[in-house]
Amino acid sequence: MFRRIIAAATFSLLGLVPALAQEKPSELRIGITTYNSGSASVFGVPARDAAELLAEDINKRGGIQGVPVKLYFIDEGAGIETLMTEYRRLVQDTKVDVMFASISSGVCNKVAPLAEDLKVLNFMWDCGTQRILEDDKYNYVFRTQANATPETLAPLIYLLKVKPDFKTVAVVNQDYAWGRDSWAIFSGALKVLKPDVKVVAEFFPKFGAADFSTEVSRLLALKPDVILSTSWGGDLDTFVRQANQRGLFAQSQFVLPLAESSLERLGTDLPEGVIVGGRGDHYFLHPEMKGEPKFKAFVDAFKAKTGHYPIYSVFHMAQAFAALDAVYAKAVAANGGKWPTKEQVAKAMPGLKFQAFGRPVEIRADGQGVEDQLIGTTVRVPEYPFDVMDKMMIFSASKLMPPVGETTDAWIKTLKPDLIQMPVDTFKH
């Protein structure tokens, strides 16, 4: 803590000293962590493909403030020790200007203090745990998308709006920071908003599990009205297929807040009537964006490159690039048109507003991104060989986050049941 106080004081003093003129560099170096191997690669590889596509487009347009970007990738699937070593190497030896890290909340918990020690601007471009920026203060670490609090509360409120009469609930979440934190938010809010609901089972299989037969058997016996799983990637795909094969979807209402990223991969293995979300208002058929030329051009370009439609990890990557573009424009303007120092770029992050391929996002004073949430229910349509979203609602994230300085755990206890009646924008397929 003493080290953090000294670092914060040093950072503040830098703002009082006129910055030395910075020469415009020949390139802007970006380090990116994403899963290129393992079960999570179904989620991470599309994000890498998106980064390459976005960087190519930026460079065709002349770069960021006239500076071309160059990408360096680290595979999260190689394990935390390798990742941390490679992270440090990119910052200290390769001299990257900014890091986009990471996907896993467990990795972000390790990366955030390292980024602060190395004094490198770090965009948490995808990880969800809200605790990092609630439990500590950072000068160089920011989240360019939402966190677990609105990403979990939005599907809960959606459930309470469309299926309010359930009495029992069970959870099957990956056993690490995201799975534990998202369940704590969901169950904590449920106790306040619908206290008569009984939790009948809590399962936390290990990350990367390949067999969910035990969990499925127990759930078939328990017959919960609602089954929540905030799992993602290959883990979610496997759980859905095994649960569907044994008829579990016919018995319980499933709530899968991250399943937008699995729709195309699962095809008809995911039944109709499942509540799904995309960790933000991310969707290749976004009801407000699908008619926009830039949105359509990006979706078409991504599908041409990969053979698949973009998923929310792709849109999160696009937001990180949009934030980088916007913050350098802001920092250069504040520096009288001169190339900014990394401290000036970091100081320009709070209050930053930017937009990629969803609604605008804003970075709060605490570094958290404020991002609206799109939730829907799966339905089959002739146009696609997989389920799409219908009965969509977009929730205002500002109403689903604690104020700056408050923790989610404490704030949830102050919620009122009338939150269920919060206004939302509704859309059909």
Side-chain angles (χ1 to χ4, degrees):
M1 182 58 70
F2 180 77
R3 173 181 58 78
R4 288 279 164 78
I5 294 171
I6 294 298
T10 302
F11 186 87
S12 299
L13 287 172
L14 286 170
L16 303 177
V17 179
L20 295 175
Q22 299 289 300
E23 289 187 10
K24 184 176 286 190
S26 60
E27 59 188 14
L28 191 67
R29 299 174 182 178
I30 305 170
I32 301 174
T33 69
T34 186
Y35 281 93
N36 294 320
S37 61
S39 64
S41 63
V42 295
F43 183 87
V45 170
R48 176 174 181 153
D49 291 335
E52 293 171 344
L53 192 65
L54 291 159
E56 181 181 350
D57 182 63
I58 287 171
N59 289 340
K60 284 180 180 178
R61 292 188 282 107
I64 291 181
Q65 296 297 300
V67 177
V69 300
K70 184 174 182 180
L71 309 183
Y72 300 83
F73 291 96
I74 300 173
D75 180 13
E76 283 192 54
I80 187 64
E81 290 186 8
T82 299
L83 183 144
M84 297 289 278
T85 299
E86 288 299 297
Y87 188 107
R88 187 180 292 274
R89 181 186 63 79
L90 282 185
V91 175
Q92 294 181 326
D93 299 339
T94 307
K95 308 294 183 185
V96 296
D97 299 283
V98 60
M99 291 293 300
F100 293 176
S102 286
I103 289 180
S104 167
S105 292
V107 173
C108 278
N109 279 327
K110 300 289 187 181
V111 159
L114 177 60
E116 197 75 0
D117 287 343
L118 297 175
K119 294 182 171 57
V120 62
L121 188 68
N122 190 99
F123 290 176
M124 294 190 292
W125 70 272
D126 186 74
C127 62
T129 179
Q130 79 287 356
R131 295 186 181 276
I132 295 172
L133 295 176
E134 287 186 355
D135 293 350
D136 212 339
K137 178 175 174 56
Y138 294 93
N139 293 313
Y140 295 92
V141 179
F142 304 89
R143 176 176 274 119
T144 53
Q145 31 71 232
N147 64 62
T149 305
E151 291 170 351
T152 305
L153 287 180
L156 171 59
I157 296 172
Y158 184 100
L159 171 67
L160 291 170
K161 283 178 175 289
V162 302
K163 299 276 188 178
D165 297 328
F166 65 99
K167 299 296 183 183
T168 56
V169 64
V171 62
V172 183
N173 275 5
Q174 293 151 314
D175 189 11
Y176 79 114
W178 165 257
R180 295 283 180 174
D181 288 351
S182 57
W183 172 238
I185 294 166
F186 190 97
S187 59
L190 191 59
K191 289 177 184 177
V192 176
L193 301 177
K194 192 172 172 61
D196 60 324
V197 173
K198 181 181 179 181
V199 177
V200 296
E202 296 175 293
F203 298 111
F204 292 93
K206 68 179 182 179
F207 189 92
D211 182 9
F212 295 90
S213 57
T214 298
E215 290 83 359
V216 172
S217 294
R218 291 271 293 145
L219 291 169
L220 284 168
L222 290 167
K223 295 181 170 59
D225 296 327
V226 171
I227 297 173
L228 169 75
S229 179
T230 65
S231 298
W232 54 276
D235 293 25
L236 178 62
D237 296 355
T238 302
F239 173 57
V240 166
R241 290 190 178 102
Q242 293 179 7
N244 190 38
Q245 288 168 0
R246 297 181 61 186
L248 191 54
F249 280 87
Q251 177 179 286
S252 302
Q253 171 65 59
F254 272 68
V255 179
L256 307 176
L258 281 67
E260 177 273 345
S261 63
S262 293
L263 293 177
E264 186 175 6
R265 292 195 307 273
L266 285 170
T268 57
D269 286 337
L270 183 65
E272 294 185 287
V274 176
I275 295 172
V276 302
R279 293 194 60 214
D281 62 319
H282 304 309
Y283 187 34
F284 80 98
L285 293 174
H286 192 299
E288 295 177 334
M289 303 296 294
K290 63 184 180 181
E292 295 292 328
K294 289 183 178 180
F295 182 88
K296 186 177 186 303
F298 176 74
V299 171
D300 290 347
F302 184 84
K303 193 167 191 301
K305 177 181 174 69
T306 67
H308 300 284
Y309 293 102
I311 59 178
Y312 76 74
S313 62
V314 168
F315 292 116
H316 276 174
M317 185 63 74
Q319 283 183 182
F321 276 92
L324 189 67
D325 200 357
V327 75
Y328 267 91
K330 182 180 176 182
V332 166
N335 199 34
K338 299 175 183 177
W339 192 255
T341 65
K342 61 182 179 181
E343 288 79 17
Q344 288 172 318
V345 176
K347 285 184 65 177
M349 283 297 291
L352 184 74
K353 296 180 181 179
F354 57 93
Q355 185 173 10
F357 300 110
R359 287 184 173 183
V361 179
E362 181 175 359
I363 304 297
R364 301 196 315 185
D366 58 357
Q368 299 276 29
V370 182
E371 178 183 32
D372 291 351
Q373 301 292 313
L374 187 154
I375 311 296
T377 299
T378 55
V379 66
R380 297 262 164 85
V381 296
E383 301 96 309
Y384 300 97
F386 53 87
D387 288 1
V388 298
M389 281 196 264
D390 192 20
K391 302 177 183 176
M392 290 173 278
M393 300 181 189
I394 299 183
F395 295 78
S396 172
S398 62
K399 300 179 184 298
L400 300 178
M401 297 176 67
V404 173
E406 290 189 29
T407 65
T408 293
D409 292 344
W411 174 74
I412 280 178
K413 296 176 182 178
T414 70
L415 296 180
K416 305 297 182 185
D418 61 5
L419 182 65
I420 301 169
Q421 309 306 322
M422 69 177 289
V424 295
D425 296 317
T426 60
F427 307 89
K428 294 291 186 181
H429 166 68

